[in-house]
Amino acid sequence: MAKQENIVNGVVQTEEELKQYNYLNLGPTHPATHGIFQNILKLDGEIIVDAQPTIGYIHRAFEKLAEHRPYYQVTPITDRLNYCSSPINNIGWHMTVEKLIKAEMPKRVDYMRVIIMELARIADHIICNSVIAVDTGALTGFLYVFQWREKIYEIYELICGTRLTTNIGRIGGFERDFSDDVWRRIEEFVNEFPKALKEFESMVMRNRIFMDRTIKVGPITAEKALNYGFTGPNLRAAGVDYDVRVMNPYCSYQDFDFIIPIGSNGDTYDRFCVREEEMWQSLHIIKQAMQKMPAGDYKADVPEFYLPPKEDVYNSMEGLIWHFKIVMGEVHVPKGQVYHSVEGGNGELGFYLVSDGGRQPYRLHFRRPCFIYYQAYPEMIKGAMLSDAIITMSSMNVIAGELDA
Amino acid sequence: MEQQINNHLIESLLREQFADAVIQVEESYGMLDITVQRDKIIEILQWLRDHSVLQFNFLTSMNGMHFPEVKNKELSMVYHLHSFFTNARIRLHVFFPISDPHVPTATGLWNTANWMEREAFDFFGIRFTGHPDLRRILNVEDMLYHPLLKQYPLEDGTRTDKEDKYFGR
Amino acid sequence: MALTKVNEIPEMYTGEGYALTKLEKVVGLARANSIWPLPFATSCCGIEFMATMAATYDLGRFGAERLSFSPRQADLLMVMGTIAKKMGPVLKQVYTQMAEPRWVIAVGACASSGGIFDTYSVLQGIDKVIPVDVYVPGCPPPPEAILDGILKIQEKIKTEGFKRRDSTEYKQLLASYGIE
């Protein structure tokens, strides 16, 4: 016979039905979520039973916007996808268009791009990793390594004039060669950053509190990660050595020697360590690129798409004509569809470009790694403690701009 | 060269298995573009995923498309598949009329299809039959139209400071 | 220029052991140099705000070190980044939860006017839903510009006076946004 308290309105309740759950609305604006995501958490005490994510709070209509912008004006939109590493997005887009128009880049452009992209990867991982540390209670590390991000900003600033949303380079190369000051600063960075990174690592990586907070928190198996479309550091932390730079080398990545770090259980700690190691590998790649830097031009010979420098526009007939043609959309763009992907800060950043021969893309779809892997978030935090939900999110490096397009 | 052989192999294997479902096969920029019948798409995706040689185990992306001037083929879905084993990529297309925007869902094959299909629904109004939770994902719930369809304007209608004469309209 | 103005000691009658001035001025000075900002960071500008908070630029120098993530305790709402139409009501709710006196900075082009995102999903400037005190231009503004915005708001706080929040103009302004 059922006990008296098990009967509600004359119906015998199971144990599950009698349980009292709490609902916690985490977000859209919450100090602990980096960016704006809403999760309605169903809690049993402090254990998460279920999560309902809502996204789209900064949907900015990139794909529609790209249909209304000439090719060279799409670059600023790509800046704002994953704004922690915008040069990778910019260069990925340039390479997509170059693939469409079948333009060959000189080796020097490739190497320069590799240097910029690896700097951007370091900048991206600095934010992600220091923020994981902040979420476990170590603000010092963040303040410390952020100074090095400023140094990367300074390098960007010397190359293209802006700090964060870089709009770096052009379709067909760079707008100018790197100055001596840029080379000096990159070298300085490559030589001095290891010291800081080492110090950050020694503070956090074998720290007992940090390890207790992150090991076996928010784990995902390789099988599930693949099923959910994970790419980038998050997939590698789960133990799959997939890296676009190696599988489909672009931008002469095949010339460089580097390893792909992988984790084993795909938990927060593994994701942290994979990102740390990737920063070391990026430094390694930059060093190689600087050593092997070939002589040559900083731009390809594609006058139909490469906006000429202003001196040429004002002083030569050719330059003026090409400038006019590009800006007014008089150049011939081949019809076709092309998919190109680069290894972004968060994974495979893909551009699916459909051209109907017009001056704007007919359709441009971004494969945004954040958007794809964030849907696994409820499953990853199910059964975890409430405080683990925050660390899991920051270790996935979900960037709102990329998530919501 | 290896890519070339692979593409031929994929095409021949696919044609062998689904002779009447494959409508058109093209190659652009080294990647196969395969147009298939709508009602066979899930069967084909599953076959490609589970095939012992091809092993297209990874759904890279899905997106909708809108071609307003092509009669009865106004909408399309594009699937990018990638095999981590052979490093081959292919692209599948299905076309269907806007009056009947229904496509079977791929959520049974890959979990990742869930949000990508919700996005395609949000942007283009493509209904995925069998989808567990087909709601708008990026836009507000009470939006009345599907914004990426070509007939709708990009710009926000509420802006008052933009005068047409400054934009040459 | 702005910097000296903010930290300037107000006019006083001083003698041995006392100083006389208007209460308004002392309160203004205290308020201006102990702002508790609420960072409402949605996108790219939020990353630049992180840079502003970090060691190199250090917002703490201007008395705004203590970030208040609860709107109930905050004086200054810093809206950084694009506000989509989906986010508009949330922003308004956060604003109404803040106690008077409250100030708002719109950081960046998106928050100020919608910026490059003149699209169907983006709110064309947060001043469509809440009143704004200071606009900081830039996409994203560099930390120096954000600091300049903070200094501007400090100047405004310092010279605001007691009566503004009770004035009919202010009430009309709020009423025009539908905020009671």
Side-chain angles (χ1 to χ4, degrees):
Chain A
M1 201 182 121
K3 270 189 268 169
Q4 193 60 38
E5 55 265 33
N6 282 8
I7 298 166
V8 177
N9 295 337
V11 181
V12 181
Q13 307 283 307
T14 62
E15 204 172 320
E16 180 62 25
E17 282 166 324
L18 276 172
K19 259 194 181 158
Q20 298 272 315
Y21 291 111
N22 295 319
Y23 289 89
L24 182 72
N25 183 14
L26 189 70
T29 158
H30 190 274
T33 59
H34 315 280
I36 36 181
F37 326 99
Q38 188 188 24
N39 276 288
I40 295 171
L41 302 176
K42 185 180 176 188
L43 297 168
D44 178 11
E46 226 183 320
I47 308 288
I48 296 162
V49 180
D50 200 5
Q52 273 294 339
T54 310
I55 66 163
Y57 285 103
I58 67 160
H59 175 50
R60 299 187 269 194
F62 286 156
E63 293 183 4
K64 185 88 176 174
L65 203 55
E67 288 172 15
H68 291 76
R69 294 273 181 281
Y71 286 93
Y72 64 94
Q73 282 185 7
V74 174
T75 324
I77 306 173
T78 63
D79 269 335
R80 283 139 186 98
L81 274 170
N82 178 355
Y83 35 72
C84 287
S85 54
S86 19
I88 303 183
N89 312 345
N90 302 153
I91 293 173
W93 163 246
H94 294 326
M95 283 192 294
T96 311
V97 180
E98 284 155 12
K99 197 168 173 182
L100 180 77
I101 61 176
K102 298 195 172 120
E104 277 289 316
M105 288 301 113
K107 272 276 174 202
R108 188 177 174 85
V109 173
D110 279 359
Y111 279 45
M112 282 160 81
R113 283 179 170 175
V114 165
I115 290 177
I116 296 300
M117 284 198 280
E118 293 308 317
L119 277 176
R121 198 180 316 283
I122 292 173
D124 185 270
H125 291 353
I126 281 180
I127 286 232
C128 178
N129 273 2
S130 63
V131 161
I132 299 173
V134 169
D135 285 343
T136 56
L139 191 69
T140 327
F142 165 74
L143 293 172
Y144 189 63
V145 291
F146 212 92
Q147 295 178 39
W148 293 91
R149 209 182 135 90
E150 291 284 340
K151 305 246 184 222
I152 299 177
Y153 281 158
E154 280 165 18
I155 297 169
Y156 290 170
E157 222 168 353
L158 279 169
I159 296 169
C160 66
T162 47
R163 285 161 51 88
L164 185 71
T165 46
T166 49
N167 199 6
I168 216 161
R170 290 183 188 169
I171 297 164
F174 283 88
E175 53 267 56
R176 61 185 81 82
D177 210 346
F178 290 180
S179 64
D180 293 341
D181 201 18
V182 174
W183 288 119
R184 192 179 51 76
R185 276 173 195 262
I186 295 174
E187 203 170 320
E188 232 173 67
F189 179 83
V190 172
N191 289 334
E192 286 170 27
F193 180 60
K195 234 188 294 170
L197 189 59
K198 193 93 214 155
E199 211 163 347
F200 175 67
E201 263 178 21
S202 56
M203 187 185 89
V204 179
M205 215 161 189
R206 306 300 295 174
N207 185 317
R208 177 46 53 194
I209 301 170
F210 183 76
M211 287 168 82
D212 284 350
R213 282 298 303 276
T214 51
I215 290 176
K216 298 221 170 98
V217 168
I220 191 157
T221 60
E223 209 171 39
K224 264 191 194 157
L226 283 174
N227 198 356
Y228 270 114
F230 274 52
T231 43
N234 296 343
L235 179 65
R236 291 194 280 273
V240 182
D241 60 342
Y242 173 65
D243 190 319
V244 186
R245 290 176 293 175
V246 178
M247 289 279 266
N248 299 77
Y250 53 94
C251 217
S252 301
Y253 263 109
Q254 68 276 13
D255 296 0
F256 302 103
D257 175 34
F258 60 102
I259 57 168
I260 313 174
I262 57 166
S264 50
N265 9 333
D267 58 10
T268 302
Y269 189 68
D270 281 7
R271 284 192 280 273
F272 177 86
C273 293
V274 164
R275 286 204 173 83
E276 283 294 321
E277 187 52 40
E278 271 184 24
M279 282 198 256
W280 290 110
Q281 293 302 324
S282 294
L283 284 170
H284 190 50
I285 296 172
I286 296 172
K287 267 186 212 159
Q288 293 176 49
M290 284 176 77
Q291 266 166 15
K292 292 199 263 183
M293 181 58 70
D297 210 353
Y298 57 88
K299 59 179 197 291
D301 187 27
V302 275
E304 303 93 332
F305 293 91
Y306 180 84
L307 272 170
K310 274 282 173 293
E311 308 90 76
D312 286 6
V313 177
Y314 293 131
N315 296 321
S316 80
M317 195 49 126
E318 284 269 287
L320 184 62
I321 290 170
W322 283 123
H323 183 88
F324 183 82
K325 279 190 137 183
I326 294 168
V327 173
M328 300 309 287
E330 305 278 307
V331 291
H332 170 72
V333 182
K335 286 182 189 180
Q337 35 190 323
V338 43
Y339 177 82
H340 184 73
S341 59
V342 293
E343 180 71 25
N346 287 331
E348 179 175 342
L349 177 70
F351 299 86
Y352 174 48
L353 168 64
V354 180
S355 157
D356 63 344
R359 67 191 294 233
Q360 304 112 338
Y362 183 78
R363 171 102 168 88
L364 177 60
H365 175 73
F366 300 103
R367 185 211 188 260
R368 315 183 303 277
C370 275
F371 175 74
I372 288 165
Y373 66 62
Y374 183 56
Q375 48 186 321
Y377 180 64
E379 197 168 319
M380 288 163 77
I381 60 169
K382 227 169 260 183
M385 305 283 278
L386 180 56
S387 54
D388 295 342
I390 304 300
I391 308 181
T392 309
M393 183 183 278
S394 55
S395 74
M396 284 168 84
N397 200 16
V398 188
I399 306 283
E402 191 173 83
L403 179 73
D404 290 345
Chain B
M1 213 50 212
E2 199 184 330
Q3 184 74 26
Q4 213 73 34
I5 294 162
N6 268 342
N7 280 352
H8 280 298
L9 184 72
I10 297 162
E11 189 185 340
S12 58
L13 283 172
L14 198 67
R15 280 200 189 274
E16 204 177 293
Q17 183 73 18
F18 297 98
D20 45 348
V22 176
I23 297 168
Q24 195 186 5
V25 179
E26 280 175 357
E27 198 182 305
S28 67
Y29 297 92
M31 205 193 272
L32 272 185
D33 273 309
I34 303 164
T35 309
V36 297
Q37 276 178 6
R38 169 168 57 165
D39 42 351
K40 285 278 169 60
I41 179 73
I42 296 305
E43 210 178 307
I44 292 172
L45 286 173
Q46 187 165 10
W47 180 81
L48 286 168
R49 187 189 69 170
D50 298 335
H51 193 275
S52 57
V53 179
L54 302 175
Q55 305 183 72
F56 283 101
N57 63 329
F58 195 77
L59 178 65
T60 303
S61 84
M62 285 167 82
N63 64 284
M65 297 272 287
H66 186 213
F67 302 95
E69 61 283 347
V70 188
K71 276 276 156 286
N72 283 331
K73 284 181 179 180
E74 285 97 345
L75 287 175
S76 94
M77 271 307 284
V78 183
Y79 301 77
H80 281 86
L81 295 186
H82 187 188
S83 164
F84 279 12
F85 299 95
T86 62
N87 200 17
R89 291 174 188 265
I90 53 166
R91 189 157 46 219
L92 295 171
H93 300 254
V94 284
F95 290 92
F96 44 93
I98 198 162
S99 52
D100 175 31
H102 294 276
V103 181
T105 178
T107 45
L109 301 176
W110 287 282
N111 284 336
T112 179
N114 190 329
W115 281 17
M116 292 196 256
E117 285 179 354
R118 278 177 69 184
E119 190 189 47
F121 166 71
D122 193 349
F123 283 170
F124 294 94
I126 299 169
R127 268 73 170 175
F128 292 90
T129 44
H131 191 285
D133 182 28
L134 197 63
R135 286 180 292 131
R136 280 185 187 272
I137 186 162
L138 294 174
N139 285 302
V140 281
E141 290 265 320
D142 51 1
M143 200 169 188
L144 295 172
Y145 62 102
H146 298 283
L148 254 78
L149 295 175
K150 290 278 179 191
Q151 69 263 37
Y152 295 112
L154 161 75
E155 289 165 12
D156 177 63
T158 62
R159 196 139 158 182
T160 47
D161 58 339
K162 281 174 87 170
E163 280 186 39
D164 280 355
K165 66 177 176 188
Y166 297 127
F167 294 88
R169 294 183 288 214
Chain C
M1 243 346 257
L3 187 66
T4 50
K5 224 171 172 180
V6 168
N7 295 330
E8 207 173 66
I9 297 165
E11 263 178 54
M12 291 183 178
Y13 294 105
T14 50
E16 208 173 310
Y18 73 92
L20 285 178
T21 186
K22 282 187 186 164
L23 179 63
E24 209 171 69
K25 287 187 174 169
V26 179
V27 171
L29 188 70
R31 274 181 180 168
N33 291 297
S34 62
I35 308 172
W36 284 18
L38 164 64
F40 195 89
T42 58
S43 50
C44 337
C45 296
I47 306 290
E48 280 301 57
F49 180 70
M50 274 162 87
T52 315
M53 289 304 300
T56 315
Y57 291 95
D58 193 12
L59 188 60
R61 291 178 293 161
F62 304 98
E65 181 148 31
R66 200 282 190 187
L67 296 183
S68 166
F69 287 103
S70 156
R72 306 270 180 204
Q73 299 162 346
D75 313 308
L76 172 64
L77 178 63
M78 297 183 75
V79 183
M80 294 166 284
T82 317
I83 302 297
K85 284 179 181 159
K86 205 170 176 176
M87 197 64 184
V90 182
L91 177 66
K92 194 167 176 178
Q93 193 181 4
V94 168
Y95 181 75
T96 50
Q97 281 172 348
M98 288 168 68
E100 292 282 12
R102 55 193 167 188
W103 293 271
V104 178
I105 300 188
V107 176
C110 290
S112 304
S113 71
I116 62 169
F117 299 107
D118 184 8
T119 59
Y120 58 86
S121 62
V122 175
L123 197 64
Q124 301 300 304
I126 59 164
D127 48 11
K128 294 260 193 289
V129 288
I130 56 171
V132 178
D133 292 286
V134 171
Y135 298 88
V136 179
C139 187
E144 291 93 337
I146 300 180
L147 289 178
D148 189 51
I150 295 269
L151 292 177
K152 285 273 176 333
I153 207 102
Q154 282 185 329
E155 211 175 300
K156 198 170 174 182
I157 293 172
K158 214 180 142 191
T159 53
E160 188 184 283
F162 283 157
K163 295 205 178 94
R164 178 170 175 247
R165 305 277 156 176
D166 297 324
S167 65
T168 43
E169 287 92 350
Y170 184 69
K171 282 187 178 139
Q172 272 168 8
L173 174 74
L174 284 191
S176 71
Y177 285 100
I179 300 166
E180 289 307 312

